[in-house]
Structure formats: structure tokens, C-alpha cells
Amino acid sequence: MEEKLESIKSRYLEVTEELMKPEVMNDFKTLKKLSKEQSDLKEIVNKYEEYLTCQKKIEEAKSLVEDPDFKEMAELEIEDNSKKIEEVKKELEILLIPKDENDGKNIIMEIRGAAGGDEANIFAGDLLRMYTYYAEKNGWKIEINHQIEGTSGGFSQVECTIKGDNVYSKMKYESGAHRVQRVPQTETQGRIHTSTATVLVMPEIDDIDIDIKESDLKIDVYHSSGAGGQSVNTSNSAVRITHLPTNTVVTCQNERSQLKNKELAMKLLKIRIYDQLQQEKLASEGNERKSKIGTGDRSEKIRTYNYPQNRVTDHRIGFSVMNLDRVMDGDLEPIIDALITEDLKRKLAGD
């Protein structure tokens, strides 16, 4: 580990030196890239310096153990720094786990009503409300890109962008099938039904290098629709783009300008195609992805929301909380913290 840390420290000093050069300071692209690398390495280097300081104090104390006047003080110094160095080593092990390069990115989220008809669509609306409250608690901004409302409420499909600090690092665990058990609003005999909604989370990536031919696109324009299906403007500003080779469809209607909606739709299309390619790559890696949280099969049932018992259970880690009402009001932090902790644990174990 020390060899790796020395290499990281050496690279950090090299990058810091590069950032001082006038030609780098005048090249925005290179400056941005090196500044990010420096920032990523800084925490590890600082923690490594703390580790080295502890080592130095232990060595200095050992040289005083044989002196009767300093023996007791030296032994305490050795004991204290030995405990501290073990704590620092554990922190360094976590810091050395390769970071997901997308953790700092915004996300595109899609929620769809699945099995359960009207109740599934209503639940999809409940999930959007839950994520909206969670976004507000984190100081994130949420924007609706496209929505298809359910006939009895909620959404058969809704897509949004969530922007803020490190959104993907927390929300990447939400992809999958979410199951609800409750008495639906439409149930007249008080029976508990089980319905599902699916959630898809993709990092918002700006510099995707995917060549999309104009001839492979089918572009439709139509009136944007607001709540209740009412037209929110009189021009054909909403845009639907179908990528024929992959049958990938994206729709954008949140801008009043058709041009802006088309630009955003093309961006979303590239993100979706890129995400499909990444999922295919993960699938080809076989069992490796099954041990990781947040990269499993997106049709997998990941969580159950049981209303009669006021319980939420995440099946991937066997974690339950008995405060479903608070979770639906955006108190997702305990569940997401548990997922992050388990993810780190598995990575440290080498899964």
C-alpha cells in the first residue's frame, strides 16, 4: 500500500507543478483536467501525510524508551500513535478504492408504472414525490423533461433531470423495480394489492462520443401538454426522437422552443444509447456485476414499500426501516447510507 501511496504523492506533486506553468494556466481544458486530478488526489495525499507523521512519532518515541526519564511518556506516545495509525490505514484503504468517475455528475431519472395498472401509475407518482423531497433536502434542483400522466393519477412515465452536488453518487442505487403493498385508492373491499414501478437512473454525461446518423433518426413534433392534457402553448414545440437502429425513443417538452427541446432530446438520446452500451458491457462481464450494488439487473426487485406495516425493505442488503411515512416524505438518507456502506464493504472485501 505504501508503494502505491508514494506513487500517488509523486503524481500529486507533479500535477501541482504543472498547474503553475503559464502555458497550462492559459489552456482552460488542460487547467480544468489537471485541477480535477489534483483535487481527487489531495485527500489521499493529506491522509498519507498523516500516516507518515504517525510513523515518525512512533520511531522517535522508540528511541526514548530506554531512557528511564522518558520511558513512560514514550510508551504512551507509541500506544496512542499505533492506535491512530490503524485508523488512518482503514481510511486510506477506503480512499484507495477506485472511484466511480460518474459520482459527481447530475442524473437523468425515468420512472414508469409497471405491473398493477392504475395503482402502479399512482405509485410512480409517489416515487417522484419522494425523490423530489429528497432532492430538496440535498439542495438539488429537479426538472421534468417529459411526462405521461396516468388516467387515475400519477404517471405511466415521467422523466426528469436532477442537478446538484454528487447526485449520481447517491441516486445510482435507485435503478430497479420498486414494489408497493397497500390497499389501492381504487379498491372497494379493503384488499391489499401488490404493484410495481421501475426506476432508471443514468449519469448526465456531456462529452459522449457517439456518432448518430441523421438518416437513423425519426423526429416528430407536437403540442406540449401540461396537467390534465391541456396544451401549454399553441406551437409544435415538443419533440420526440426515435433512434431506429436501437429503437430508443426520447421525448422533451419542458422548453417552449422547439429548437431547445430538440437539442435536449438529442443529448438525452446519446445518454440513453451510451447507457445501453454500458449495460451490455456489464452483462458480458457475467457474475462480476451481480456482487455489486447499483450495477445489477435493472428489472431486479430492489425494494418493497409495505404500507400496512409502515416498513421499507431494501432486498439487496436485507435492510429495513419502520418509518415508511417519513421515507415517502424524502427521508431516504438512512437507506442510501446503508447501501453506500455495504457497497464499500464489498469493494474492500474484493467482491
Side-chain angles (χ1 to χ4, degrees):
M1 185 174 77
E2 287 190 27
E3 187 178 338
K4 187 172 184 179
L5 288 164
E6 279 295 335
S7 176
I8 290 171
K9 182 180 176 181
S10 177
R11 177 56 187 165
Y12 175 77
L13 295 172
E14 184 182 322
V15 170
T16 302
E17 192 175 325
E18 284 288 312
L19 285 167
M20 301 295 288
K21 294 179 179 178
E23 61 268 29
V24 172
M25 295 177 73
N26 293 324
D27 183 344
F28 178 73
K29 189 174 181 180
T30 304
L31 180 67
K32 183 180 178 182
K33 180 182 176 183
L34 290 174
S35 295
K36 185 182 183 305
E37 185 179 359
Q38 183 194 48
S39 177
D40 291 342
L41 297 176
K42 187 175 182 179
E43 187 177 3
I44 297 174
V45 172
N46 287 345
K47 189 58 63 176
Y48 181 44
E49 291 291 351
E50 191 177 337
Y51 174 83
L52 292 175
T53 299
C54 288
Q55 275 193 330
K56 185 178 178 182
K57 286 181 179 179
I58 289 172
E59 291 304 315
E60 289 173 348
K62 282 180 178 178
S63 67
L64 296 173
V65 170
E66 299 304 321
D67 188 328
D69 293 333
F70 295 99
K71 185 177 186 300
E72 186 177 348
M73 183 186 72
E75 287 176 345
L76 283 172
E77 184 78 3
I78 291 169
E79 184 182 352
D80 289 345
N81 281 284
S82 294
K83 287 179 182 177
K84 188 173 182 181
I85 210 168
E86 287 304 312
E87 293 173 5
V88 172
K89 278 174 71 175
K90 288 177 183 177
E91 291 174 28
L92 280 168
E93 285 175 351
I94 292 172
L95 288 172
L96 287 173
I97 293 172
K99 288 186 172 63
D100 187 331
E101 62 182 13
N102 293 320
D103 274 353
K105 290 183 169 57
N106 302 324
I107 65 163
I108 308 297
M109 172 182 276
E110 179 191 84
I111 307 172
R112 289 176 179 261
D118 287 342
E119 170 63 6
N121 293 341
I122 292 169
F123 180 50
D126 292 340
L127 288 177
L128 176 65
R129 174 180 174 273
M130 177 184 77
Y131 290 128
T132 299
Y133 283 154
Y134 182 62
E136 289 173 355
K137 287 175 186 284
N138 282 279
W140 301 337
K141 184 179 179 183
I142 186 165
E143 299 172 355
I144 303 297
N145 301 325
H146 171 62
Q147 62 187 46
I148 301 175
E149 296 178 356
T151 54
S152 298
F155 303 94
S156 63
Q157 179 185 347
V158 59
E159 185 177 279
C160 62
T161 301
I162 303 180
K163 300 179 178 181
D165 293 334
N166 301 310
V167 181
Y168 186 73
S169 68
K170 293 190 174 184
M171 297 301 290
K172 64 184 176 183
Y173 302 103
E174 295 305 297
S175 285
H178 296 240
R179 182 176 69 170
V180 62
Q181 294 174 324
R182 65 185 177 189
V183 178
Q185 298 174 14
T186 52
E187 170 61 47
T188 56
Q189 297 181 33
R191 293 174 298 188
I192 294 173
H193 288 223
T194 298
S195 305
T196 58
T198 59
V199 176
L200 174 62
V201 174
M202 298 170 287
E204 185 184 46
I205 302 173
D206 294 319
D207 52 350
I208 299 175
D209 186 17
I210 295 177
D211 183 29
I212 297 179
K213 298 177 183 177
E214 193 74 28
S215 58
D216 288 339
L217 301 177
K218 180 177 180 288
I219 302 176
D220 301 301
V221 295
Y222 56 96
H223 286 332
S224 298
S225 296
Q230 298 298 312
S231 174
V232 294
N233 63 54
T234 56
S235 63
N236 291 336
S237 62
V239 176
R240 181 190 301 111
I241 301 179
T242 305
H243 184 245
L244 300 174
T246 59
N247 197 32
T248 304
V249 181
V250 295
T251 306
C252 188
Q253 62 181 40
N254 65 330
E255 301 286 350
R256 289 189 172 271
S257 160
Q258 183 186 126
L259 180 62
K260 287 183 178 179
N261 278 329
K262 184 179 178 182
E263 287 175 355
L264 180 55
M266 280 301 299
K267 178 182 177 180
L268 295 175
L269 180 66
K270 286 187 175 184
I271 290 172
R272 279 189 173 276
I273 293 173
Y274 176 80
D275 184 70
Q276 286 178 21
L277 293 172
Q278 292 297 106
Q279 291 304 307
E280 289 169 9
K281 179 184 174 184
L282 287 168
S284 70
E285 293 171 357
N287 292 331
E288 180 186 344
R289 69 195 284 246
K290 293 179 181 177
S291 67
K292 297 176 182 176
I293 299 169
T295 56
D297 186 344
R298 286 177 174 177
S299 63
E300 172 193 11
K301 179 187 71 178
I302 64 167
R303 197 174 294 152
T304 294
Y305 304 74
N306 187 303
Y307 275 71
Q309 297 177 14
N310 198 36
R311 171 175 53 81
V312 180
T313 299
D314 196 289
H315 303 289
R316 293 164 294 181
I317 57 174
F319 180 81
S320 294
V321 291
M322 306 302 292
N323 59 346
L324 179 146
D325 51 338
R326 287 171 55 187
V327 170
M328 298 310 292
D329 283 337
D331 188 14
L332 269 171
E333 208 67 44
I335 298 172
I336 289 176
D337 281 349
L339 286 163
I340 291 171
T341 300
E342 179 62 22
D343 202 12
L344 282 172
K345 181 181 172 183
R346 292 185 188 186
K347 287 173 180 174
L348 281 168
D351 286 346

